[in-house]
Amino acid sequence: MNIGEIARRAGVSRSTVSYVLSGKRAVSATTRQRIQAVIDELGYRPNASARALKEGRTRTLGLVIPPANQRLTDMQLGFVASVVEAAARHDLDVLLSPSGGDHDRSFERIVTGRRVDGVVLMEIRLTDDRVTRLATAGVPFVTIGRTAEPHGMSWIDVDYAALISRCVHHLADLGHRQVALVNRSAELVAAGYGPSHRALAGFRAATAERGLTGIDVCCGDDTASGEAGMTQLLATHPQVTAVATINEAALPGMQRALHAAGLSVPGDFSVTGVAAQHWAEDFRPPLTAADVPTRDMGAEAVSLLLELIATPGGTPRHRLYAPPISLRESTGPARTR
Amino acid sequence: MNIGEIARRAGVSRSTVSYVLSGKRAVSATTRQRIQAVIDELGYRPNASARALKEGRTRTLGLVIPPANQRLTDMQLGFVASVVEAAARHDLDVLLSPSGGDHDRSFERIVTGRRVDGVVLMEIRLTDDRVTRLATAGVPFVTIGRTAEPHGMSWIDVDYAALISRCVHHLADLGHRQVALVNRSAELVAAGYGPSHRALAGFRAATAERGLTGIDVCCGDDTASGEAGMTQLLATHPQVTAVATINEAALPGMQRALHAAGLSVPGDFSVTGVAAQHWAEDFRPPLTAADVPTRDMGAEAVSLLLELIATPGGTPRHRLYAPPISLRESTGPARTR
DNA sequence: TTGTATGCGTTATCAC
DNA sequence: GTGATAACGCATACAA
């Protein structure tokens, strides 16, 4: 089933069928209707490969996600969902590439096979080979997260430094003197994971500014790690009365450890941080936290990418999100343990 | 950058370059090396659209997921991850289509635009338009889940009826006389969601067989719904001493409700069901449950699909998974409340 | 061992 | 208002 078959059945040339489809040339009402009838009857749609070859664009966006062997965090999942949704609104398809390793066939196909018109890159590191790879290959791309030197590229990111800083100030205002940061996993930090490093920087700056004692610990992205990490923190730093975290998946475990230690929140201990809304609302009591607007961010990433594709010589743009801290019920005045 | 450019630089014809790439014809070592050098130098890779047009296949699989506006369950996420991973192992890309509504552009593009060689369909209903759509369009497809009449199609599925039946028998063996099934949401059930219906059928058959009183309730896929649902269940059916569930996302809420009611698990109340391993292990105490092998299932779906693509006239195959119930610590002898 | 020619299905330029 | 035709980049049957 191709355009020639439609043309034959409608008794017209292929170009006329093409112009009915694109509307780029006037076609008389009668022939247009005749052609449209045949198209509808046979359920014809142009072959995507042929069209892509001819037009030089695929109407497809690439989305590079973390390797499939590790479970996506809720925030990552939120980005994926919103990117896919935003792309669909523009009638664009999304090609998934689970990339993170060194030599990645899937990623290479995307970069150099002209399979996509542009790429959204997730989970990037402070120094990230994939970014330079895409840049040299001349593929338009937008990153969710940013490298250490993001000048000249399009990106969106959460301002972890500012958000964690705000959390610390909030805790300081409540009278807390020793606070801890529960970060993501040590592996991630070692790999130069931006959010971890920037959150830590913000934490250190804020604790210094307010004269607080700041402890920072790494923690795996799961309940068990959260429980173990919090248990250890409570044992080794008995003076700590509050934590801020960017590790949403550890929250249930942290809660469990606090409960096991006989500490009530926020009476004996305060908890705050940055988390997807779902985690914050499921915490008991509901978590005072910055809710990351993953939905808006994915849409914005697609928007920036389309801009980049439309105007190849255009100026890259970026956007740093610092959503407000939603005051819920997990933080309160300091009380010595 | 195309094959002609490579040929020009290497001083050979385009076909020779093509044959070096494919290895389908002998090429002298010297010219091969010369060509390969140029290819490596320029980082050339064949244009995917041109190749797809010529070969009649895209080396891409479609993956139809639930609409992006609702959060994916962990099980769904597991399927997506394993399908993507399995496809990558075969050097295939995955095109995502968030479809569920009635008239879906993204899905139509996939079906009729020849963008993919085959489709993996998730979250299908007992009667599912998309299945008939794909079948009439002649697109090879495999479903994760199955329709009411899955004869003649390739599918994989979890045997919810058998698993829930086993759970009920396990509870009956422990002396429970009144048990409940916590199902997925009422909307899903009304929409003809297969797992819900089959779990319910298995539940009814098993309770009847063992002479138990069986209550079944629907419950949204989140903590809050789980808590509300369990709270209500405990209030309206004080004789119930155990539940089986297929709603993993409701587990934390159910746990919370049991705790609030002063019921200990498994001392006062038993909990079991079907859940991704992660949920079972995070439950306190760890949940006696059938762990759905999402990883294997996604890989098997891809395997079946590739088989279908390779032999268009071949016999469809299917596979029903009934993983064993992992005995952990959330079930115990019945004790009247 | 290598080169030439054709066609995959489309869009767009040119001609009428 | 419509038709013929030339690319897009590739793989391969056919020649040499």
Side-chain angles (χ1 to χ4, degrees):
Chain A
M1 176 54 44
N2 58 30
I3 200 171
E5 176 71 9
I6 304 296
R8 202 182 57 70
R9 298 207 189 204
V12 295
S13 73
R14 292 185 321 218
S15 43
T16 303
V17 176
S18 178
Y19 282 117
V20 165
L21 253 12
S22 69
K24 292 187 181 175
R25 170 164 107 173
V27 176
S28 77
T30 55
T31 56
R32 180 175 50 244
Q33 282 163 14
R34 192 168 74 245
I35 292 170
Q36 192 60 54
V38 177
I39 288 174
D40 293 344
E41 182 196 343
L42 301 188
Y44 164 78
R45 296 192 53 117
N47 179 304
S49 301
R51 171 180 282 200
L53 176 59
K54 179 62 186 167
E55 292 194 327
R57 62 176 183 141
T58 58
R59 298 166 189 267
T60 304
L61 263 31
L63 177 58
V64 178
I65 60 175
N69 54 24
Q70 62 195 52
R71 264 202 15 254
L72 263 56
T73 66
D74 268 40
M75 210 184 292
Q76 291 166 345
L77 188 54
F79 288 139
V80 171
S82 61
V83 166
V84 168
E85 189 180 24
R89 277 200 301 271
H90 292 276
D91 281 334
L92 295 168
D93 287 318
V94 171
L95 200 62
L96 229 48
S97 172
S99 304
D102 330 284
H103 182 55
D104 198 307
R105 318 256 282 287
S106 159
F107 182 71
E108 287 304 318
R109 280 198 300 271
I110 291 243
V111 174
T112 189
R114 300 223 175 337
R115 299 183 72 85
V116 299
D117 298 333
V119 171
V120 174
L121 201 55
M122 278 178 56
E123 207 69 4
I124 67 162
R125 307 297 159 88
L126 289 174
T127 64
D128 201 305
D129 290 342
R130 298 169 303 171
V131 168
T132 52
R133 196 76 195 75
L134 285 165
T136 60
V139 178
F141 68 96
V142 170
T143 58
I144 297 181
R146 65 196 196 277
T147 59
E149 295 294 339
H151 314 296
M153 356 191 301
S154 282
W155 52 268
I156 62 169
D157 202 356
V158 174
D159 193 348
Y160 280 97
L163 293 181
I164 287 298
S165 174
R166 275 194 219 152
C167 288
V168 170
H169 281 288
H170 172 56
L171 294 173
D173 291 343
L174 289 168
H176 296 271
R177 303 298 305 161
Q178 296 214 6
V179 299
L181 171 71
V182 175
N183 210 320
R184 303 281 294 278
S185 75
E187 294 74 36
L188 231 36
V189 173
Y193 182 63
S196 285
H197 285 258
R198 295 188 176 107
L200 184 54
F203 181 73
R204 288 191 174 143
T207 48
E209 185 183 343
R210 299 297 293 259
L212 307 187
T213 302
I215 317 295
D216 66 272
V217 298
C218 291
C219 179
D221 289 356
D222 56 273
T223 301
S225 300
E227 184 166 8
M230 180 60 99
T231 301
Q232 190 181 354
L233 177 69
L234 293 175
T236 56
H237 296 87
Q239 313 271 30
V240 167
T241 56
V243 302
T245 185
I246 61 167
N247 190 330
E248 57 188 19
L251 281 169
M254 292 166 57
Q255 171 149 53
R256 208 167 266 168
L258 287 166
H259 183 74
L263 261 29
S264 79
V265 176
D268 303 314
F269 202 91
S270 289
V271 182
T272 181
V274 182
Q277 192 171 342
H278 144 251
W279 290 104
E281 292 179 347
D282 278 357
F283 199 78
R284 277 306 117 90
L287 194 73
T288 290
D291 306 331
V292 177
T294 51
R295 195 138 297 254
D296 299 345
M297 290 178 68
E300 177 73 2
V302 169
S303 173
L304 289 184
L305 182 54
L306 292 181
E307 200 171 290
L308 220 49
I309 292 169
T311 60
T315 322
R317 284 178 38 213
H318 60 259
R319 183 146 165 202
L320 199 50
Y321 285 79
I325 309 268
S326 294
L327 271 179
R328 296 196 183 88
E329 299 153 43
S330 66
T331 51
R335 183 198 304 177
T336 315
R337 277 160 55 198
Chain B
M1 176 56 41
N2 58 33
I3 200 170
E5 177 70 9
I6 303 296
R8 202 182 56 69
R9 298 207 188 203
V12 295
S13 74
R14 295 188 319 221
S15 55
T16 303
V17 176
S18 179
Y19 282 118
V20 164
L21 252 13
S22 70
K24 293 188 178 173
R25 170 163 108 172
V27 176
S28 78
T30 56
T31 56
R32 179 173 52 243
Q33 282 162 12
R34 191 168 73 245
I35 292 169
Q36 192 61 54
V38 177
I39 289 174
D40 293 344
E41 183 196 342
L42 301 188
Y44 165 78
R45 294 191 57 116
N47 179 305
S49 300
R51 173 179 281 199
L53 177 59
K54 176 63 186 171
E55 292 193 325
R57 62 178 182 139
T58 58
R59 297 164 190 267
T60 303
L61 264 30
L63 177 58
V64 178
I65 59 174
N69 53 24
Q70 61 195 55
R71 260 202 17 254
L72 263 58
T73 67
D74 267 40
M75 209 184 294
Q76 291 166 344
L77 188 54
F79 288 139
V80 172
S82 61
V83 165
V84 169
E85 188 180 24
R89 278 201 300 272
H90 292 277
D91 280 333
L92 295 168
D93 288 318
V94 172
L95 201 63
L96 230 48
S97 172
S99 304
D102 330 283
H103 182 56
D104 197 307
R105 318 255 284 283
S106 159
F107 182 71
E108 287 303 319
R109 281 198 300 270
I110 292 245
V111 174
T112 190
R114 298 226 173 341
R115 298 183 74 85
V116 299
D117 298 333
V119 171
V120 174
L121 202 55
M122 279 178 56
E123 208 69 1
I124 67 161
R125 309 295 161 89
L126 289 174
T127 64
D128 201 305
D129 290 343
R130 298 169 303 171
V131 169
T132 53
R133 198 71 196 75
L134 285 166
T136 59
V139 178
F141 68 95
V142 170
T143 58
I144 298 181
R146 65 196 196 276
T147 59
E149 295 293 339
H151 315 297
M153 354 191 306
S154 282
W155 52 268
I156 62 170
D157 203 355
V158 175
D159 194 348
Y160 281 97
L163 293 181
I164 286 299
S165 173
R166 276 194 218 153
C167 288
V168 170
H169 282 288
H170 172 57
L171 294 174
D173 291 343
L174 289 169
H176 295 272
R177 304 298 304 159
Q178 294 215 7
V179 299
L181 171 70
V182 175
N183 210 321
R184 302 282 294 279
S185 74
E187 293 75 36
L188 231 36
V189 173
Y193 181 63
S196 284
H197 285 259
R198 295 188 175 107
L200 184 53
F203 180 74
R204 288 191 174 142
T207 47
E209 184 184 343
R210 300 296 294 260
L212 306 188
T213 302
I215 316 295
D216 66 272
V217 298
C218 290
C219 179
D221 290 354
D222 56 274
T223 301
S225 300
E227 186 167 7
M230 179 59 97
T231 301
Q232 189 180 356
L233 177 68
L234 293 175
T236 55
H237 296 87
Q239 312 271 30
V240 167
T241 58
V243 303
T245 185
I246 62 168
N247 190 330
E248 56 188 20
L251 281 169
M254 292 167 58
Q255 171 148 54
R256 205 167 268 168
L258 287 166
H259 183 75
L263 264 26
S264 79
V265 177
D268 303 314
F269 203 91
S270 288
V271 183
T272 180
V274 182
Q277 193 171 343
H278 145 251
W279 289 103
E281 292 180 347
D282 279 355
F283 199 79
R284 276 306 117 92
L287 194 73
T288 289
D291 306 331
V292 177
T294 52
R295 194 138 299 254
D296 300 344
M297 290 178 69
E300 177 73 2
V302 169
S303 174
L304 289 183
L305 182 54
L306 292 181
E307 200 171 289
L308 220 50
I309 292 169
T311 61
T315 323
R317 285 176 39 212
H318 60 260
R319 183 146 165 201
L320 199 52
Y321 286 79
I325 307 268
S326 293
L327 271 178
R328 296 196 184 87
E329 299 153 43
S330 65
T331 51
R335 182 196 304 177
T336 316
R337 277 159 55 198

